[in-house]
Amino acid sequence: MLADKKKKLLLILIITFSVLGISMTFYFYQVFFSPNVLVESDNDQPIAFRIPSNANYQYVANQLYDQKIINDAVSFGFVAKVLDYQELVKPGLYSIKPRMTNLQLVRLLRSGDQTPIRITFNNVRTKEDLAEKITSNLEIESDQFLSLLQDSVYIRKFDFDEETIMSMFIPNTYEVWWNTSAEALFDRMYREYENFWTESRKEKAKALGLSQKEVSTLASIVQAESQKNDERDRIAGVYLNRLRLGMPLQADPTLVFALGDFSIKRVLNVHKETDSPYNTYKYAGLPPGPINLPDISALDAVLNAEDHNYLYFCAKEDFSGYHVFATNLSQHNANARRYQAALNRAKIF
């Protein structure tokens, strides 16, 4: 009888431990391999999850739960501990896919395999504009980048000064890491500048008698004069002709830049009295640096300037954005009178 009871007890224990073992096995399987990510989006697109620099594990876990990215914080924490993620938090932007398991999510975050972000900057006039646009989608603040742009000692290592530093930035779309530092971003833009200036472009600049920085300065004026890509090379040719003859460039946009008032629509004689190295009515030659961030079209327009005899140009009176060109002052004055009359009729002052 006693033997039968022992056998029954042993059987109960075996069954109990078997059930517990199966339950534990199922639980651990669920913890590691069942979906825990709640992200739902159109077409199952990933969600962007940002981990700031110097963030710790608790911050990450809290944000995942608070943003409703994960359903079960406890199971995520268990897997994170098993994989030692709590000590290996890496900042950056991560793409989290719908229905990921804890194991997949922890491995992604632990790997540091972040998703690059695109930055685009164009239509930039000032350093403040550039700092704001280039950092708008990044972790760094615009003030951090602006401080480098204004640091004469720092920018000297790139062979630029406070007047020419804007020449280093080629407007385009670039892929960078979200948590890229201001210094790393500066380094990246310098590499892109070096890549832009191919041997072919350098030879063209040399043939024009211009340095790379001077090309950028002239291109900024050309860009400010016209948004029409198909006439920029002709405008560049006018300014190059003036430079060769030692004539003042007399470019209205440089006066607007000197005054710092970009609301000016019509440059008047009083503006031309401004004492600034950017006043190309008062001082011959190129100004000290670019008056905006010239795009690739403007830069190439200078490098591939049209060869002609024009010395003057004036906006067309139809306000189309195009210009009429002249080889002599009397012809130019006639063109200018027509445009000024159109401005008066339109009451543009």
Side-chain angles (χ1 to χ4, degrees):
M1 185 75 90
L2 185 59
D4 290 340
K5 286 184 178 180
K6 286 183 177 180
K7 286 181 181 180
K8 285 182 181 180
L9 181 59
L10 181 60
L11 181 59
I12 291 171
L13 289 173
I14 291 173
I15 293 172
T16 300
F17 281 112
S18 296
V19 171
L20 286 173
I22 292 170
S23 298
M24 290 298 291
T25 300
F26 180 72
Y27 174 75
F28 282 114
Y29 179 86
Q30 290 283 92
V31 166
F32 278 86
F33 300 108
S34 291
N36 190 33
V37 171
L38 296 173
V39 175
E40 295 292 344
S41 59
D42 295 337
N43 301 318
D44 281 350
Q45 291 299 309
I47 187 172
F49 180 66
R50 294 169 175 81
I51 301 178
S53 299
N54 302 319
N56 58 22
Y57 167 75
Q58 198 57 55
Y59 173 89
V60 174
N62 289 343
Q63 287 300 306
L64 287 170
Y65 188 74
D66 292 344
Q67 293 181 35
K68 296 183 170 37
I69 294 174
I70 59 173
N71 178 48
D72 184 358
V74 175
S75 64
F76 174 80
F78 179 79
V79 176
K81 186 168 185 61
V82 170
L83 296 184
D84 202 28
Y85 173 61
Q86 296 176 344
E87 306 301 325
L88 295 170
V89 172
K90 296 176 181 176
L93 171 68
Y94 296 89
S95 294
I96 298 178
K97 297 178 182 177
R99 296 178 295 281
M100 289 181 80
T101 66
N102 283 322
L103 183 60
Q104 291 171 324
L105 179 55
V106 172
R107 279 178 172 171
L108 170 66
L109 301 179
R110 186 179 184 276
S111 71
D113 185 18
Q114 57 174 306
T115 301
I117 197 166
R118 289 187 171 189
I119 59 171
T120 300
F121 52 92
N122 47 39
N123 298 321
V124 173
R125 282 185 174 133
T126 65
K127 293 176 183 178
E128 289 79 7
D129 288 342
L130 175 59
E132 183 176 346
K133 290 186 176 183
I134 204 171
T135 64
S136 61
N137 293 321
L138 302 179
E139 181 184 27
I140 56 176
E141 298 291 336
S142 61
D143 287 348
Q144 292 176 271
F145 198 78
L146 180 60
S147 68
L148 293 185
L149 282 171
Q150 296 174 333
D151 187 336
S152 59
V153 175
Y154 180 79
I155 61 181
R156 200 173 299 147
K157 74 174 187 175
F158 299 99
D159 194 29
F160 289 91
D161 58 35
E162 292 173 273
E163 302 290 350
T164 61
I165 186 58
M166 295 285 276
S167 305
M168 194 184 87
F169 297 85
I170 309 296
N172 212 331
T173 297
Y174 303 97
E175 284 193 344
V176 300
W177 301 125
W178 171 75
N179 61 318
T180 296
S181 68
E183 292 80 6
L185 184 56
F186 225 95
D187 290 340
R188 169 67 184 281
M189 291 299 101
Y190 180 69
R191 291 196 299 273
E192 295 295 344
Y193 171 82
E194 292 281 273
N195 291 337
F196 172 81
W197 281 102
T198 60
E199 287 304 316
S200 173
R201 285 187 169 116
K202 288 178 182 177
E203 286 299 319
K204 288 179 179 180
K206 185 177 180 181
L208 294 173
L210 300 176
S211 68
Q212 293 169 204
K213 298 182 184 73
E214 288 172 332
V215 169
S216 294
T217 298
L218 181 52
S220 72
I221 298 173
V222 171
Q223 177 167 289
E225 292 283 15
S226 178
Q227 296 302 307
K228 306 296 185 182
N229 291 345
D230 56 349
E231 72 167 5
R232 283 179 170 179
D233 58 342
R234 179 168 292 185
I235 291 175
V238 170
Y239 285 128
L240 287 169
N241 287 342
R242 282 178 165 256
L243 286 172
R244 292 188 190 105
L245 294 172
M247 293 177 63
L249 297 185
Q250 297 184 327
D252 288 358
T254 64
L255 271 179
V256 173
F257 181 84
L259 292 164
D261 183 358
F262 299 107
S263 67
I264 295 174
K265 302 238 187 300
R266 191 171 182 180
V267 170
L268 305 174
N269 286 332
V270 65
H271 297 141
K272 297 175 184 178
E273 298 304 315
T274 303
D275 189 15
S276 166
Y278 286 89
N279 183 347
T280 54
Y281 280 86
K282 200 175 189 68
Y283 299 101
L286 289 166
I291 59 172
N292 57 51
L293 217 59
D295 59 29
I296 292 174
S297 168
L299 291 164
D300 282 339
V302 172
L303 294 173
N304 300 284
E306 186 178 301
D307 185 14
H308 55 60
N309 295 321
Y310 295 127
L311 291 172
Y312 305 89
F313 66 93
C314 175
K316 282 189 174 182
E317 67 269 23
D318 61 1
F319 302 123
S320 63
Y322 283 97
H323 296 79
V324 287
F325 296 79
T327 58
N328 58 74
L329 185 58
S330 61
Q331 183 184 7
H332 171 67
N333 286 338
N335 294 334
R337 282 192 295 271
R338 283 195 296 272
Y339 180 64
Q340 288 164 2
L343 287 175
N344 292 331
R345 287 194 298 272
K347 297 183 179 180
I348 297 175
F349 302 100

